[in-house]
Amino acid sequence: MRSGRWEERARRLSLVDVLEPLPREEIERLNWRLASFRLDRGELCFAPGDPADRLFLLHEGRVRLYKIIGGREFTLAVVGPGTIFGETSLTESSRQGAYAEALETAEVSVIGKEEMRRLIREHPEVGIRLVELLSRRLRDREERLAEMASRGVTERLAALLARLAEQEGVVTQEGYRIPFRYTHRQLGSMIGVNREAVTRALGRLQRSGAVAISDRRLVVRNPELLRKLAGHVSTDT
């Protein structure tokens, strides 16, 4: 590996959220030991039944974690660069029905379960970071489940778009632009409905003036109105 490429990979490892507390010498050690690979859009990183003997560090691109329930895909999370996924392998022996799919070209490093456990033992701050990360993901999942149980489709979509604008939005003259082009099917898998229901609900949100479509990307034009719609629009199906 060329020195420039080597240094860039070490830099990316140091930026992974749970690895940030590690000293430079530990990052260099991992840089020697960890294998990396690329995923094309739509390619699976893992699927149900795969051995749960490793975790994955995402350096580039986006990966969708999902399960198939009742014949329909349900998105558990969408993770972006600088984070870890597949963390359930620390406590489970198989992937428990979960899939990980690249939403765009992605670069991933692989860290073995035992190597991760060693880092947690020798650098407790890594374990703390991992617990914090898992807590945030669990809280987000619980919030979405609660929304699906108590809110209509338009409310759920409004709540999702408000979160995406907060987490991913880029400030522009038009509003908060969500740079990744989520399809209606992907949005539907995040809120538990089909593509057609998302299309209808998105039309309502556009007519309200809360969101717009620009260059095939979602733009949140009025975050305050969107949050209000997430909690107060009438229930629909």
Side-chain angles (χ1 to χ4, degrees):
M1 185 183 295
R2 295 180 180 179
S3 61
R5 175 64 175 164
W6 182 264
E7 292 172 0
E8 174 61 16
R9 198 175 82 144
R11 186 188 71 83
R12 289 186 174 191
L13 282 173
S14 70
L15 294 176
V16 174
D17 42 20
V18 299
L19 302 185
E20 284 182 351
L22 293 178
R24 179 68 183 182
E25 56 269 22
E26 186 67 77
I27 291 293
E28 294 290 352
R29 179 180 180 180
L30 291 174
N31 203 18
W32 277 101
R33 294 168 64 91
L34 302 188
S36 296
F37 62 94
R38 295 185 73 82
L39 292 168
D40 293 328
R41 179 182 177 184
E43 188 174 357
L44 292 178
C45 183
F46 60 75
D50 287 353
D53 58 353
R54 65 198 68 184
L55 297 85
F56 303 91
L57 310 173
L58 183 60
H59 305 299
E60 180 182 312
R62 292 187 181 278
V63 170
R64 180 172 72 105
L65 309 175
Y66 69 96
K67 289 187 175 184
I68 297 178
I69 303 173
R72 177 179 293 176
E73 292 182 5
F74 177 72
T75 296
L76 305 173
V78 174
V79 297
T83 195
I84 193 169
F85 64 96
E87 65 282 346
T88 56
S89 65
L90 287 172
T91 58
E92 299 174 354
S93 58
S94 68
R95 293 297 173 185
Q96 298 295 313
Y99 297 78
E101 173 197 27
L103 292 178
E104 55 190 345
T105 301
E107 182 176 343
V108 179
S109 290
V110 181
I111 182 167
K113 178 192 299 187
E114 294 308 315
E115 181 79 351
M116 193 67 200
R117 287 175 172 172
R118 179 190 68 80
L119 290 177
I120 292 171
R121 287 193 303 269
E122 297 180 6
H123 306 278
E125 182 64 27
V126 171
I128 294 173
R129 291 288 186 95
L130 186 58
V131 169
E132 292 172 345
L133 176 66
L134 297 183
S135 296
R136 289 196 300 272
R137 288 180 179 172
L138 179 60
R139 183 172 61 250
D140 178 69
R141 196 172 304 175
E142 288 176 342
E143 287 176 354
R144 289 192 292 122
L145 287 172
E147 289 167 1
M148 283 189 283
S150 63
R151 299 182 184 181
V153 176
T154 305
E155 292 171 299
R156 284 183 252 167
L157 183 60
L160 172 63
L161 296 184
R163 281 195 297 269
L164 291 176
E166 181 179 348
Q167 296 168 2
E168 306 176 17
V170 176
V171 178
T172 69
Q173 291 182 339
E174 298 174 290
Y176 292 85
R177 181 184 179 88
I178 299 171
F180 183 78
R181 187 169 67 85
Y182 290 98
T183 66
H184 289 195
R185 182 182 67 83
Q186 290 165 347
L187 293 172
S189 75
M190 296 179 192
I191 60 174
V193 300
N194 59 31
R195 178 178 58 82
E196 293 77 11
V198 169
T199 300
R200 292 192 295 270
L202 186 58
R204 297 185 189 101
L205 295 177
Q206 287 179 266
R207 290 191 293 274
S208 76
V211 302
I213 305 294
S214 177
D215 192 26
R216 303 177 71 186
R217 301 295 192 279
L218 286 161
V219 179
V220 175
R221 300 180 62 183
N222 190 330
E224 183 177 352
L225 174 59
L226 190 63
R227 287 190 292 270
K228 181 178 180 181
L229 292 172
H232 298 290
V233 297
S234 59
T235 300
D236 50 64
T237 58

